[in-house]
């Protein structure tokens, strides 16, 4: 057995069902870790290596204490004085008999005896009671660096009480809610790791720096992904050659259907890729039904989204210039506003692509005879706004959650209009121009640069 852990390693221990696995999932950004309201979910100690660039640390998820009082009695029988306590614990984890009668205690103490520091987790919404003292006492006997985390599972009701009790056993006590996406809090926890285990300070500080870099990288990758998605969807077309014009006409519903399905699949794949950028591999997302469904061109409804006339007029001018072909300013405005809703078209994947409104179906005669039926590319100037809005909705949801949350992500509409408003005027105009006519975009790098502020601004 490897008796020494050289990389920073922390064993997350505590009572069953207090959020140990949730804390590991949130810190490790791993949505595969088993979390459930059933007590005793984690059966064995699970080691997770968290690697960021060239630095990293290990978290060990463990089963909860099941028989701490009996285990402590065993230990007390095997140590007469304080100097014998560590060997008593060692004997405990090595004893076959203990492995049988205290499987959970042995499993959770083993990594600590191999050198992992201790993260003791309690629930700040439940009252303190002395039953926990046997657990804390056992942990103290290991003599390993330790800190306590209070997880406010349902409320903060007993945090003060816990702080007092934990302060007797642990030098460092922090409150940490694994369900809240809070980068500052996460960083504070890592900082505390370095305080309790100074031998790992340099490595932990590296990890902290790399967590911030990771965030920038995720933003860059998301921006690039959005640029590619917009270009791909906006230019997408399908065609098929036929002998007669009638055959070509008959293809219209077939091509439209395929077109819709393929466009939706492309978007879906990009959304899946976006989840992967943020290390979500098991996350379902759901797009809310919005009241706009079926009334996408009903300007009355825009008020719901807080879009005022002034902005409407402003963007109308811009979009009119960009799109050229639009009939009049008010229509241009409405057309843009529809896009500005972005998520206004969040309703089901089928609904946002009503092919008639969005793409061209054309039949052309071929020079050497025969005909070609063609569906696409997109002609609707809202289209890119809609796609961007949907993408940003998912991005917001991903940034607002942690890997400890297991429920389906419910996407809310993005206020694309105010995100655009927040940009400086030149950036905004350039971006609106590109989004209005994605087919004219010639440089993906340039396009990604224009999109970047939408993604970096929170
Ligand atoms: N609302 C809320 N629920 C939480 C929080 N932390 C954990 N939970 C829930 O509490 C339950 C137990 O969480 P786990 O992370 O599985 O707890 P555990 O300590 O690993 O449990 P065992 O493996 O059974 O010992 C799950 O249903 C979690 O979703 C929290 O901060 N807020
Ligand atoms: Mg668990």
């Amino acid at each position: 057995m490897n008796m020494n852990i050289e990389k920073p390693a922390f064993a997350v221990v505590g009572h069953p069902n207090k959020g140990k696995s949730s804390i590991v999932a949130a810190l490790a950004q791993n949505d595969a870790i088993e979390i459930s309201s059933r007590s005793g979910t984690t059966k064995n100690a699970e080691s997770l290596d968290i690697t960021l660039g060239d630095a990293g640390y290990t978290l060990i998820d463990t089963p909860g204490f099941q028989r701490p009082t009996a285990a402590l009695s065993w230990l007390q029988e095997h140590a007469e004085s304080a100097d014998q306590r560590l060997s008593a614990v060692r004997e405990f984890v090595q004893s076959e008999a203990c492995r049988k009668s205290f499987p959970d205690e042995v499993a959770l103490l083993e990594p600590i005896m191999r050198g992992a520091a201790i993260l003791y987790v309690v629930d700040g919404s439940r009252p303190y009671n002395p039953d926990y003292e046997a657990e804390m006492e056992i942990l103290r006997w290991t003599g390993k660096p330790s800190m306590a985390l209070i997880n406010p599972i349902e409320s903060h009701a007993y945090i003060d009480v816990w702080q007092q009790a934990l302060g007797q056993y642990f030098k460092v006590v922090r409150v940490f809610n694994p369900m809240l996406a809070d980068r500052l809090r996460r960083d504070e926890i890592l900082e505390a790791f370095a305080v309790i285990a100074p031998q790992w300070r340099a490595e932990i500080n590296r990890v902290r720096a790399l967590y911030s870099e990771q965030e920038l990288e995720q933003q860059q990758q998301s921006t690039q992904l959005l640029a590619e998605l917009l270009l791909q969807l906006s230019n997408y077309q399908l065609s098929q050659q036929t002998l007669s014009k009638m055959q070509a006409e008959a293809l219209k519903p077939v091509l439209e259907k395929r077109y819709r399905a393929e466009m939706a699949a492309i978007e879906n794949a990009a959304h899946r890729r976006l989840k992967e950028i943020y290390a979500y591999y098991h996350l379902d997302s759901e797009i809310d039904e919005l009241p706009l469904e079926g009334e996408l061109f009903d300007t009355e409804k825009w008020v719901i989204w807080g879009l005022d006339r002034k902005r409407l007029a402003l963007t109308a001018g811009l979009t009119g210039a960009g799109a050229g072909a639009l009939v009049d300013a008010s229509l241009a405005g409405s057309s843009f506003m529809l896009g500005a809703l972005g998520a206004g078209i969040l309703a089901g994947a089928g609904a946002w692509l009503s092919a008639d409104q969005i793409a061209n179906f054309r039949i052309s005669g071929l020079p050497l005879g025969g005909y070609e039926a063609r569906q696409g590319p997109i002609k609707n100037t809202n289209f890119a706004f809609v796609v961007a809005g949907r993408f940003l909705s998912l991005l917001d949801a991903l940034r607002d959650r942690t890997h400890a949350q297991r429920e389906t992500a419910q996407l809310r509409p993005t206020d694309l209009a105010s995100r655009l408003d927040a940009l400086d005027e030149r950036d905004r105009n350039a971006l609106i121009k590109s989004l209005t006519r994605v087919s004219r975009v010639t440089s993906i790098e340039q396009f990604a640069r224009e999109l970047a502020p939408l993604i970096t601004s929170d």
Side-chain angles (χ1 to χ4, degrees):
M1 191 171 26
N2 174 14
M3 293 305 287
N4 244 316
I5 297 181
E6 314 218 324
K7 255 201 332 182
F10 300 86
V12 183
V13 299
H15 231 57
N17 221 29
K18 298 302 181 196
K20 299 182 296 297
S21 299
S22 304
I23 286 169
V24 172
L27 290 173
Q29 306 185 34
N30 184 323
D31 66 348
I33 290 168
E34 211 185 334
I35 291 172
S36 111
S37 55
R38 196 165 31 85
S39 175
T41 300
T42 307
K43 297 273 188 324
N44 302 299
E46 299 275 355
S47 202
L48 275 132
D49 289 320
I50 294 138
T51 310
L52 292 119
D54 56 358
Y57 65 108
T58 301
L59 285 176
I60 303 136
D61 193 9
T62 69
F65 281 98
Q66 291 291 345
R67 303 177 58 216
T69 314
L72 183 59
S73 302
W74 189 100
L75 290 168
Q76 279 160 342
E77 278 162 28
H78 290 77
E80 276 162 17
S81 51
D83 61 319
Q84 297 174 356
R85 287 176 177 173
L86 180 60
S87 4
V89 182
R90 191 170 299 130
E91 212 181 308
F92 180 88
V93 301
Q94 286 170 357
S95 145
E96 259 326 298
C98 290
R99 194 175 290 278
K100 286 217 179 73
S101 27
F102 303 103
D104 303 283
E105 282 74 14
V106 169
L108 74 92
L109 286 169
E110 256 177 349
I112 298 170
M113 294 309 287
R114 281 206 302 274
I118 298 165
L119 278 187
Y120 181 63
V121 177
V122 301
D123 176 1
S125 52
R126 294 298 182 83
Y128 174 76
N129 81 56
D131 290 351
Y132 292 91
E133 279 159 32
E135 298 177 2
M136 296 192 282
E137 188 62 15
I138 293 172
L139 294 173
R140 187 161 67 176
W141 280 35
T142 67
K144 293 297 185 301
S146 63
M147 66 184 271
L149 287 184
I150 306 175
N151 176 13
I153 292 193
E154 269 153 12
S155 70
H156 285 65
Y158 295 95
I159 287 194
D160 293 347
V161 185
W162 272 107
Q163 241 147 3
Q164 280 177 35
L166 292 167
Q168 311 271 320
Y169 291 85
F170 300 93
K171 249 194 329 198
V172 178
V173 179
R174 293 277 188 280
V175 178
F176 184 71
N177 185 340
M179 303 295 173
L180 289 185
D182 186 338
R183 287 162 235 150
L184 271 173
R185 265 292 154 85
R186 184 184 65 193
D187 188 55
E188 270 172 35
I189 298 302
L190 285 160
E191 200 178 12
F193 286 1
V195 171
I196 61 163
Q199 74 274 25
W200 294 327
R201 174 177 293 280
E203 183 78 359
I204 289 170
N205 283 338
R206 218 37 229 113
V207 167
R208 290 171 64 197
L210 288 163
Y211 266 125
S212 315
E213 265 175 44
Q214 178 193 51
E215 219 176 296
L216 288 179
E217 237 162 66
Q218 287 169 330
Q219 288 176 355
Q220 274 163 10
Q221 289 174 5
S222 309
T223 308
Q224 182 69 23
L225 179 63
L226 176 58
E228 284 165 11
L229 173 67
L230 288 169
L231 285 174
Q232 198 184 357
L233 286 182
S234 300
N235 295 312
Y236 199 68
Q237 43 184 307
L238 282 175
S239 61
Q240 197 166 322
Q241 295 184 4
T242 57
L243 291 172
S244 74
K245 196 167 181 185
M246 230 171 73
Q247 281 172 323
E249 275 159 5
L251 275 175
K252 187 169 192 253
V254 182
L255 281 185
E256 276 181 8
K257 194 169 163 214
R258 243 183 76 199
Y259 186 76
R260 265 204 299 276
E262 288 175 18
M263 295 279 278
I266 291 169
E267 191 199 37
N268 215 328
H271 284 193
R272 202 170 331 113
R273 175 75 197 109
L274 182 60
K275 291 177 190 173
E276 287 170 8
I277 290 175
Y278 284 85
Y280 287 96
Y281 298 94
H282 307 275
L283 173 64
D284 289 326
S285 50
E286 236 164 51
I287 283 175
D288 279 345
E289 295 277 324
L290 292 177
L292 290 161
E293 199 192 8
E295 303 168 58
L296 297 177
F297 289 90
D298 182 351
T299 49
E300 294 292 310
K301 293 284 194 291
W302 298 333
V303 181
I304 300 169
W305 305 96
L307 301 165
D308 51 50
R309 277 180 190 287
K310 192 171 135 237
R311 193 192 273 143
L312 210 144
L314 181 87
T315 47
L318 261 173
T319 317
L326 292 168
V327 189
D328 62 39
S330 71
L331 180 59
S334 61
S335 171
F336 171 74
M337 292 326 290
L338 170 57
L341 300 172
I345 312 188
L346 275 169
W352 61 282
L353 276 180
S354 146
D356 271 355
Q357 287 169 354
I358 286 189
N360 281 315
F361 177 81
R362 265 176 302 138
I363 296 173
S364 35
L366 296 170
L368 300 174
Y371 291 85
E372 186 185 66
R374 179 183 301 273
Q375 177 69 30
I378 292 297
K379 64 173 185 194
N380 188 301
T381 52
N382 300 320
F383 181 76
F385 291 87
V386 173
V387 173
R390 290 164 63 91
F391 187 91
L392 292 170
S393 297
L394 176 58
L395 184 67
D396 288 346
L398 294 176
R399 286 163 159 182
D400 273 356
R401 68 190 286 129
T402 77
H403 294 74
Q405 279 168 262
R406 293 300 151 81
E407 60 281 12
T408 300
Q410 299 288 341
L411 305 193
R412 288 180 317 252
T414 303
D415 188 355
L416 194 55
S418 41
R419 268 161 120 127
L420 286 167
D421 275 353
L423 307 184
D424 97 32
E425 201 183 328
R426 269 183 53 187
D427 290 352
R428 179 173 57 240
N429 291 354
L431 180 53
I432 289 176
K433 211 169 143 194
S434 294
L435 284 176
T436 313
R437 270 296 159 99
V438 179
S439 57
R440 299 234 176 113
V441 166
T442 49
S443 152
I444 186 161
E445 290 78 20
Q446 169 67 22
F447 190 33
R449 269 198 298 280
E450 287 169 1
L451 290 166
L454 281 181
I455 286 188
T456 46
S457 68
D458 267 328

